[in-house]
């Protein structure tokens, strides 16, 4: 017959185990460190660094596609002892705008859509980081990545021009103008691509939308400008049409203020007066994209 065991006392059932947890007594690095870390991680991710090998393929290929034509131009200039480069510094990014659009379409959704898709955005805001920190870090990272993509071939052209013993002052001036142009382009294009990508957590939709806005808008505006030119419209009318595409906006700004040759039909871009409107529209779009991202992430981070 089984013997009934006497009930154990409450003190014998309760035990406290020391599993080694202790309070953190190291330095509190704060918001600035978190913002820098998010910027660094996002910038590296834009080129696939710190990610899988296949994630590096497309951005590195596009980087090479941007730089190889510049290297070929340099080789031709050095070999033929040309008096000038085949392409102006301010024109290079305009000619390769399809590559830039493809890079943004691939990397902007990766920069923000994954956080939305996996619902990790609120986790960022559970730490000492604000909505503005997140948006600034992402915006700065995407703009910096695009600036690297567009400025690297200009550096190749500049170094090649000096090797070809072209005029130092002219080449330095052109190189500086090109850097200003691609810096403005990087801010504008990154803002547009990021806000489009932040609207939907689905990366495929973000890719298609970025390509549509950057590429189709340029094709549509260029077509309308060409039709207007063939029908004898004034230069001012053609210039005003350029306000409706990101590429033509940058083209108009650098034509009006950086001495660039315009890609508009007839080779005449906006005048200085119209160029002021172009600058205002570009700055307003950049500020608008930043503000829209702030509103978007205030809702997501709740």
């Amino acid at each position: 017959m089984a013997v009934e065991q006497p009930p154990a006392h409450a003190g014998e059932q309760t035990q406290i185990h020391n599993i080694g947890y202790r309070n953190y007594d190291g330095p509190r690095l704060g918001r600035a460190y978190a913002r820098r870390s998010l910027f660094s991680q996002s910038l590296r991710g834009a080129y696939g660094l710190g990610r899988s090998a296949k994630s590096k393929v497309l951005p590195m290929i596009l980087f090479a596609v941007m730089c190889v034509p510049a290297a070929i131009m340099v080789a031709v200039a050095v070999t033929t002892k040309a008096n000038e480069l085949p392409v102006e510094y301010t024109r290079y990014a305009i000619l390769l705008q399809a590559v830039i659009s493809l890079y943004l379409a691939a990397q902007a959704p990766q920069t923000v859509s994954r956080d939305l898709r996996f619902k990790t955005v609120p986790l960022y805001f559970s730490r000492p980081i604000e909505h503005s920190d997140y948006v600034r870090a992402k915006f700065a990272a995407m703009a910096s990545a695009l600036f690297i993509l567009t400025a690297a071939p200009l550096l190749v052209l500049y170094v090649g021009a000096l090797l070809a013993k072209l005029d130092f002052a002219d080449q330095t001036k052109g190189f500086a103008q090109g850097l200003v142009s691609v810096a403005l382009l990087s801010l504008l294009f990154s803002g547009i691509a990021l806000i489009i990508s932040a609207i939907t957590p689905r990366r495929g939709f973000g890719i298609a939308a970025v390509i549509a806005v950057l590429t189709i808008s340029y094709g549509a505006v260029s077509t309308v400008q060409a039709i207007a030119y063939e029908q004898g419209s004034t230069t001012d009318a053609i210039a005003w049409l350029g306000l409706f595409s990101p590429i033509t906006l940058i083209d108009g700004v650098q034509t009006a203020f950086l001495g660039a040759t315009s890609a508009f039909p007839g080779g005449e871009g906006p005048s200085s007066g119209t160029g002021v409107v172009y600058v205002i529209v570009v700055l307003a779009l950049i500020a608008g994209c930043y503000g829209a991202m702030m509103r978007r992430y205030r809702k997501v981070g709740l």
Side-chain angles (χ1 to χ4, degrees), residues 19-247:
I19 57 177
Y21 290 121
R22 61 180 181 179
N23 294 332
Y24 176 74
D25 55 3
R28 301 288 180 176
L29 301 177
R31 287 175 58 187
Y33 178 81
R35 189 166 53 241
R36 289 194 302 271
S37 298
L38 184 57
F39 167 80
S40 174
Q41 182 268 337
S42 300
L43 178 58
R44 286 166 51 84
Y47 284 96
L49 303 177
R51 299 171 59 200
S52 62
K54 68 178 182 179
S55 299
K56 300 178 177 66
V57 174
L58 182 59
M60 293 304 176
I61 289 176
L62 294 177
F63 184 84
V65 170
M66 286 291 294
C67 292
V68 166
I72 294 174
M73 294 176 189
V74 165
V76 171
V78 171
T79 303
T80 62
K81 298 181 180 180
N83 295 324
E84 60 182 10
L85 292 173
V87 175
E88 297 177 354
Y89 293 97
T90 50
R91 290 282 299 140
Y92 194 87
I94 302 297
L95 293 175
L96 293 178
Q97 56 90 18
V99 180
I100 296 172
S101 299
L102 184 58
Y103 176 82
L104 280 174
Q107 301 307 317
Q110 179 273 329
T111 302
V112 295
S113 294
R114 290 194 306 168
D115 292 339
L116 296 171
R117 184 167 67 253
F118 297 116
K119 303 184 186 304
T120 57
V121 174
L123 296 179
Y124 286 106
F125 303 144
S126 67
R127 309 304 302 165
I129 183 173
E130 300 293 337
H131 301 84
S132 59
D133 298 322
Y134 181 89
V135 173
R136 288 172 189 167
K138 292 292 184 177
F139 202 130
M142 193 71 257
S144 299
L146 187 56
F147 181 76
I148 293 172
L149 183 78
T150 52
L154 300 187
L155 181 61
V156 173
L157 287 175
Y158 180 64
V159 172
L162 296 183
L163 292 176
K165 298 181 179 179
L166 302 182
D167 186 75
F168 177 80
D170 289 342
Q171 297 305 314
T172 301
K173 178 182 177 181
F175 179 57
Q177 291 173 336
L179 289 180
V180 172
S181 176
V182 297
L184 195 60
L185 180 148
S186 299
L187 289 171
L188 177 60
F189 281 37
S190 296
I192 294 173
L194 285 176
I195 188 56
I196 293 173
S197 302
I199 292 174
T200 174
R202 301 196 177 199
R203 186 177 180 184
F205 289 165
I207 292 173
V210 171
I211 292 176
V213 170
L214 295 181
T215 304
I216 296 178
S217 64
Y218 174 68
V221 168
S222 298
T223 301
V224 175
Q225 284 181 324
I227 294 173
Y229 178 75
E230 291 296 329
Q231 292 181 349
S233 298
T234 62
T235 302
D236 288 339
I238 295 173
W240 289 118
L241 291 171
L243 294 172
F244 298 97
S245 167
I247 289 286

